[in-house]
Amino acid sequence: MPDSPVLSISSGRLRGVRQNGIDRFLGIPYAAPPVGELRFREPAPPTAWEGERDASAFGPTAPQTVYPPALAPYLPTVEIPGADALTVNVWTPSDRAEREPLPVVVYVHGGALTRGSAALPIYDGVSFARHGIVYVSVQYRLGQEGFGVLDGVPQNLGVLDQEAALRWVRREIAAFGGDPGRVTAMGQSAGANTLTALLALPHAGELFDQAVLQSGPLSAQPCERAGRMSRAIAKRLGVPATREGFAGVAPEDLAAAQTAVSAGASPLGRGPSVALAIGGAAVPSNPLDALRGGAGRGIPVLIGSTSEEYRLWFVPSGAVERVTTTTLTLARLAARVPKRIVEAHRRRRPGATPGELLGEVMTDIVLRGPITRFADSRIEGAAPTWVYEFRWRSPVDGLGAAHAMELGFVFDRLDTPDAVALGGTDGPRALADAMHGAWVSFIRDGDPGWERWSELRPVQAFDADGGHIDYAPRQDELAGLPER
């Protein structure tokens, strides 16, 4: 039977679970439950408790719906009922008292700002804790609860939740053996998008010391555009797009309406979607603009993407085969993409379908181009930047090197159902060793082990054999992309 370690934090005593040299403390409130008068409000401090709080299980998940049928086989959903959704989970070595204070990593999950949970098996922090790292995962408000654009509601509440969680880590992590002065913030997809917003704030250094940004857009949308989803939901439900209007709707009904409105959309598309909105304390300006203007340059960053991000949406939906040459041309013209960009992709992949070429161009616009501009702007900065690209192609259903494919390797959790659903049962061990080892090295030592970004534009390419440096000429092609 596992032991039950007990420790104290500001809010009270916690009883966790000890197993195989790792202690887990799960479902710890970093803010009060966002219900009642606190619904659609900034995160409020957690309430203290008497006695010992059971920290052996994950807290409730944010209200959400399962992924649509095309994506559900690849992106599982965990649903845990309850109101206390603003919680963190901590994994730490059992012998931490015998060590110097340990480096800390705080992970923010993805899910297009509408789905996801820290309780997914792939996000278990045991692999990092085994390397002497205190691992923390964060749950935050999603969808309209966290990112609705409503009159009378602060914008980007989900980002404010994450800021509250990171401040909790600074205050409390020493009780778990962590060093509050060695905190790496790490996020993937939507989690990287929200951390980019925090990195762009003038007080980012108060929240974390380093950042890992995996496959996340670096931008936010103007308020009018970001609010299209909220307005469409309000129209569908027959309520005003205000705090009072949405507070009268049950969270599960809001999530269901949001799913109905967004049917058929994708994070690479232009339809109504849940997005960061420019304005307010959390995202006062477009993050990429602020970062290129000098924000966050004192904070080391590890950043990158997969080589075929688009395949997660284009392949299961069938779009990769449905898109025609005419569709590709019209999309290119609408997005003001130079023809030479499409031709460069065609030369690299002479057998590519129009749908694959469109997917490559969309990935350039949303991720590769902004990542290159971000890294270029930091070449002369005080803190280094490292860029990677994940290139291993999964054999599962033609997904290839799709969005989220790197997660099983970064977490060294290839045998979890989440990782198997995307990558199958034979993911290369050398790749997991290389990626997980690089992330551990960055979190622990401040260097992932390859050449920092410079005028030479070195990209660490992760593939089946582990990885190699590519002085990427393709990055130069991205300079002509329109800015978003």
Side-chain angles (χ1 to χ4, degrees), residues 3-6 14-18 24-26 53-56:
D3 295 329
S4 299
V6 177
L14 296 166
R15 179 175 293 276
V17 176
R18 174 169 296 168
R24 305 170 191 239
F25 297 88
L26 309 179
R53 181 185 176 98
D54 180 12
S56 64

Side-chain angles (χ1 to χ4, degrees), residues 74 91 160 245 274 378 440 448:
Y74 313 108
W91 284 251
L160 294 177
V274 177
R378 291 168 52 93
V440 166

Side-chain angles (χ1 to χ4, degrees), residues 105-108 128 184-188 195 212 214 410-411 439 443:
V105 62
V106 182
Y107 183 71
V108 181
F128 286 101
T184 299
M186 169 181 165
Q188 186 266 345
L195 288 181
V212 179
Q214 298 173 212
V410 166
F411 279 84
W439 266 239
I443 294 163

Side-chain angles (χ1 to χ4, degrees), residues 407-420:
L407 287 172
F409 298 90
V410 166
F411 279 84
D412 195 13
R413 302 274 292 165
L414 297 181
D415 58 347
T416 62
D418 330 33
V420 170

Side-chain angles (χ1 to χ4, degrees), residues 201-215:
L201 293 175
H203 58 275
E206 298 176 11
L207 307 177
F208 49 83
D209 306 290
Q210 303 185 130
V212 179
L213 306 175
Q214 298 173 212
S215 299

Side-chain angles (χ1 to χ4, degrees), residues 366-384:
V366 176
L367 290 171
R368 280 193 289 255
I371 287 171
T372 298
R373 294 186 181 113
F374 166 78
D376 280 349
S377 74
R378 291 168 52 93
I379 288 175
E380 302 299 329

Side-chain angles (χ1 to χ4, degrees), residues 137-397:
S137 60
V138 178
Q139 305 242 106
Y140 57 101
R141 281 175 282 186
L142 303 172
Q144 297 308 296
E145 306 286 335
F147 299 95
V149 180
L150 306 169
D151 289 345
V153 175
Q155 291 174 193
N156 308 296
L157 286 172
V159 178
L160 294 177
D161 291 344
Q162 293 169 31
E163 179 173 351
L166 287 160
R167 292 190 183 280
W168 181 96
V169 169
R170 291 288 204 201
R171 292 194 310 270
E172 308 287 358
I173 206 64
F176 301 87
D179 184 347
R182 296 173 68 193
V183 175
T184 299
M186 169 181 165
Q188 186 266 345
S189 191
N193 186 203
T194 53
L195 288 181
T196 296
L198 292 175
L199 177 65
L201 293 175
H203 58 275
E206 298 176 11
L207 307 177
F208 49 83
D209 306 290
Q210 303 185 130
V212 179
L213 306 175
Q214 298 173 212
S215 299
L218 306 185
S219 60
Q221 295 182 2
C223 193
E224 175 66 20
R225 182 178 175 192
R228 288 188 299 168
M229 173 63 78
S230 296
R231 294 193 299 273
I233 291 172
K235 182 177 180 181
R236 182 180 183 89
L237 296 177
V239 299
T242 64
R243 180 180 188 272
E244 292 73 18
F246 275 42
V249 180
E252 59 270 21
D253 293 336
L254 277 181
Q258 177 178 275
T259 298
V261 169
S262 62
S266 86
L268 297 180
R270 293 180 175 271
S273 62
V274 177
L276 299 187
I278 297 172
V283 189
S285 62
N286 189 41
L288 182 56
D289 292 343
L291 292 167
R292 292 178 67 192
R297 286 193 187 164
I299 297 176
V301 174
L302 170 59
I303 188 170
S305 65
T306 73
S307 61
E308 298 178 302
E309 298 274 356
Y310 70 95
R311 295 187 77 85
L312 182 62
W313 300 284
F314 278 36
V315 172
S317 68
V320 75
E321 301 297 337
R322 287 198 307 270
V323 171
T324 65
T325 301
T326 300
T327 306
L328 171 60
T329 300
L330 292 174
R332 178 183 70 77
L333 293 172
R336 297 181 292 110
V337 173
K339 186 177 181 180
R340 64 179 177 79
I341 300 290
V342 177
E343 292 305 316
H345 284 298
R346 185 174 280 120
R347 287 193 299 271
R348 225 178 341 262
R349 298 184 60 187
T353 67
E356 289 172 326
L357 293 173
L358 178 59
E360 291 284 359
V361 171
M362 294 299 294
T363 302
D364 285 349
I365 293 173
V366 176
L367 290 171
R368 280 193 289 255
I371 287 171
T372 298
R373 294 186 181 113
F374 166 78
D376 280 349
S377 74
R378 291 168 52 93
I379 288 175
E380 302 299 329
T385 307
W386 291 270
V387 177
Y388 75 90
E389 185 172 271
F390 178 89
R391 296 181 182 172
W392 178 73
R393 304 194 77 245
S394 166
V396 174
D397 299 339

